[in-house]
């Protein structure tokens, strides 16, 4: 059932937005290019988008992607989203395309959360936070690699990263 033009309601009555679908499509597309053999366990699937009555919503997802320079037909977009229907195994990626959808809908904080799991351990984690830092530049991206620490960079300049450290401030 549609709640508003930019959001659908899942069976559990939680919202799913154009941004959820678009984010999952973009991340799964990129993972397919860089790691074609790795499954992705994502939060969304394209079943609702494949329904004939949802063509307008799917078109809006396509417009969202095109605004980021990725042009594709509806079937391809749905296939990218459904790549997130993989199963956990010895090596897989797990994705929450918009962690905090309700916050996103209120214009508050949310994140795109991605992790590489190998033998049951998180080896790589990435957290995109569009509402932090310089929002006009896409926010901040935090990345962590087991044994190599955590870094933060502006989303618009991923190569311009710096180490993340814990503040020694005790009087907040």
């Amino acid at each position: 059932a549609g709640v508003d033009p930019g959001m659908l309601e899942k069976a559990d009555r939680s919202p799913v937005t154009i941004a959820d679908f678009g984010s999952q499509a973009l991340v799964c597309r990129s993972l397919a290019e860089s790691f074609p053999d790795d499954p992705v366990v994502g939060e969304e699937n394209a079943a609702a988008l494949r329904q004939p009555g949802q063509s307008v919503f799917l078109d809006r997802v396509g417009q969202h992607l095109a605004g980021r320079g990725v042009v594709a037909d509806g079937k391809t977009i749905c296939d990218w989203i459904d790549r997130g229907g993989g199963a956990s195994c010895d090596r897989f990626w797990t994705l929450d395309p918009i962690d905090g959808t309700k916050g996103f809908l209120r214009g508050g904080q949310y994140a795109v959360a991605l992790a590489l799991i190998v033998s049951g351990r998180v080896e790589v984690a990435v957290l995109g936070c569009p509402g932090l830092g310089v929002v006009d530049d896409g926010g901040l991206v935090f990345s962590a690699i087991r044994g190599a620490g955590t870094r933060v960079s502006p989303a618009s300049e991923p190569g311009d990263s710096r180490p993340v450290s814990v503040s020694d401030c005790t009087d907040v």
Side-chain angles (χ1 to χ4, degrees):
V3 176
D4 75 33
M7 179 178 68
L8 297 175
E9 193 172 272
K10 295 192 258 189
D12 67 0
R13 301 189 53 83
S14 63
V16 59
T17 67
I18 290 166
D20 285 285
F21 288 123
S23 175
Q24 183 155 322
L26 288 173
V27 172
C28 286
R29 173 184 174 261
S30 294
L31 290 173
E33 290 173 356
S34 299
F35 305 99
D37 297 329
D38 288 0
V40 180
V41 178
E43 185 175 5
E44 308 306 339
N45 68 64
L49 295 178
R50 293 182 191 275
Q51 299 300 314
Q54 294 300 334
S55 62
V56 171
F57 196 88
L58 179 56
D59 288 345
R60 291 193 58 204
V61 174
Q63 291 167 5
H64 174 75
L65 296 178
R68 280 139 190 86
V70 178
V71 178
D73 61 42
K75 180 190 179 313
T76 301
I77 293 168
C78 287
D79 289 348
W80 289 334
I81 294 166
D82 283 342
R83 187 168 191 280
S88 58
C89 57
D90 189 50
R91 176 188 164 104
F92 67 97
W93 295 88
T94 184
L95 169 66
D96 188 341
I98 299 288
D99 186 10
T101 300
K102 290 180 182 177
F104 169 78
L105 289 169
R106 289 189 305 268
Q109 293 295 329
Y110 67 97
V112 177
L114 177 68
L116 173 63
I117 312 295
V118 179
S119 300
R121 289 178 25 161
V122 176
E123 294 295 328
V124 176
V126 181
L127 194 63
C129 303
L132 294 178
V134 181
V135 176
D136 291 344
D137 287 343
L140 297 175
V141 176
F142 294 84
S143 58
I145 300 172
R146 181 175 294 284
T150 302
R151 301 189 69 81
V152 62
S153 66
S156 61
E157 298 289 332
D160 186 20
S161 70
R162 61 180 166 74
V164 174
S165 60
V166 177
S167 170
D168 59 1
C169 176
T170 57
D171 183 11
V172 293

